[in-house]
Amino acid sequence: MIKGIYTSASGMIPRTLKQEVFANNMANANTIGFKKDRVFLHQLRRAKNGLMTDLKWEVPMVDGVYIDFSQGFTRQTERPLDVAIEGNGFFVVSTPEGERYTRDGEFSLTQEGVLVNKNGHPVLSDSGPITITGDDISISADGIISVDGSELAKIRIVDFDKPYNLTRVNYGYMALANEEIQAVNAEGYKVRQGYIEESNVNIIEQMVDMLVSFRAYEAGQKSIQTQDETLDKAVNDLGRVR
């Protein structure tokens, strides 16, 4: 009986984490360039009497939370400094903590003409920050910025070996999980001027997953309650000396 309560309670733990992940994804559904999190669960199998032919499924356990880097929907804005990446790669921005990576291409110019993102951090080219002076700004499919018909700089777009070993940091940026990772020039991408990449969160999908997870949590909770009531009767009624 006690083992049954433990098993039910253990099964509720990953459901709690999944609810938190779903809630965070939904909160960032309108965050440009956001990549949703997923929870990977696994189940341990136990051999009975040392025989692998007789396996018993145990409770699901959390193997880890990982970032889903799948492409988000690109939405047209017609702003010349909005750019979206279709395919592989990340924009590189300079922050006080060092270089950071993002898929958010909602850029603007400072009073000095420096190209920055919404956090005020400079967007980098291969040679550093980009300064634009001129009116007619165009950005090619490979990220080359031209001003008044003359090529100025190329937006630096980098990529990493897959699966990506990146971690979330402040301002929604991605950072290297360890110093051994090397950034390389991205390939197989297309830059679209006048577009931004929406988050890859599907609200309906997240709501359905959240409801399913909640029902599973609720079932575990009721199972514990039922077993507790049964244990109470076994101790206080069946064990009573008459």
Side-chain angles (χ1 to χ4, degrees):
M1 186 66 68
I2 299 297
K3 182 179 179 181
I5 294 176
Y6 171 79
T7 301
S8 298
S10 298
M12 295 167 65
I13 295 175
R15 305 299 176 185
T16 303
L17 176 61
K18 292 188 74 172
Q19 291 293 93
E20 294 174 356
V21 169
F22 294 149
N24 181 66
N25 288 342
M26 293 177 66
N28 286 280
N30 294 322
T31 302
I32 298 172
F34 177 79
K35 300 302 179 184
K36 63 186 175 184
D37 287 325
R38 290 184 180 273
V39 179
F40 183 78
L41 302 180
H42 72 273
Q43 287 183 305
L44 298 178
R45 296 187 296 176
R46 179 168 56 86
K48 183 177 180 181
N49 298 325
L51 299 176
M52 293 302 292
T53 55
D54 190 3
L55 296 173
K56 182 179 180 180
W57 287 104
E58 297 293 339
V59 296
M61 302 297 292
V62 176
D63 191 64
V65 178
Y66 69 95
I67 303 173
D68 181 349
F69 287 97
S70 60
Q71 179 80 42
F73 174 75
T74 53
R75 174 170 59 86
Q76 186 174 16
T77 65
E78 297 184 352
R79 292 184 65 250
L81 293 178
D82 282 348
V83 286
I85 299 174
E86 287 189 349
N88 301 320
F90 299 85
F91 299 111
V92 185
V93 296
S94 177
T95 76
E97 292 76 31
E99 291 186 354
R100 294 293 183 261
Y101 311 98
T102 181
R103 296 277 294 195
D104 184 350
E106 192 174 31
F107 302 147
S108 61
L109 296 178
T110 65
Q111 292 183 348
E112 295 77 23
V114 178
L115 186 66
V116 297
N117 65 1
K118 65 179 62 175
N119 299 316
H121 297 142
V123 181
L124 300 181
S125 68
D126 289 334
S127 57
I130 302 169
T131 301
I132 298 176
T133 55
D135 299 321
D136 185 14
I137 302 172
S138 64
I139 303 175
S140 67
D142 55 359
I144 296 177
I145 301 176
S146 297
V147 180
D148 297 331
S150 299
E151 290 188 6
L152 176 65
K154 181 178 181 180
I155 299 175
R156 185 181 172 199
I157 299 177
V158 300
D159 202 10
F160 309 91
D161 291 336
K162 296 181 178 62
Y164 291 134
N165 192 7
L166 301 174
T167 183
R168 296 189 195 277
V169 291
N170 294 337
Y171 301 104
Y173 295 142
M174 298 291 175
L176 304 179
N178 61 70
E179 297 180 354
E180 296 179 357
I181 302 174
Q182 296 293 325
V184 297
N185 292 329
E187 297 179 351
Y189 70 88
K190 177 182 178 182
V191 173
R192 300 191 67 183
Q193 183 181 16
Y195 289 79
I196 55 175
E197 181 185 2
E198 301 279 10
S199 75
N200 62 353
V201 176
N202 184 314
I203 287 291
I204 296 178
E205 178 187 74
Q206 293 295 300
M207 291 182 65
V208 171
D209 288 343
M210 179 177 281
L211 181 59
V212 171
S213 180
F214 175 76
R215 293 303 184 194
Y217 183 92
E218 191 176 47
Q221 189 178 40
K222 290 181 178 179
S223 176
I224 292 176
Q225 183 178 2
T226 300
Q227 293 178 80
D228 181 63
E229 292 174 353
T230 303
L231 184 61
D232 178 70
K233 291 181 179 180
V235 172
N236 296 301
D237 294 337
L238 297 179
R240 181 180 302 167
V241 178
R242 297 183 181 277

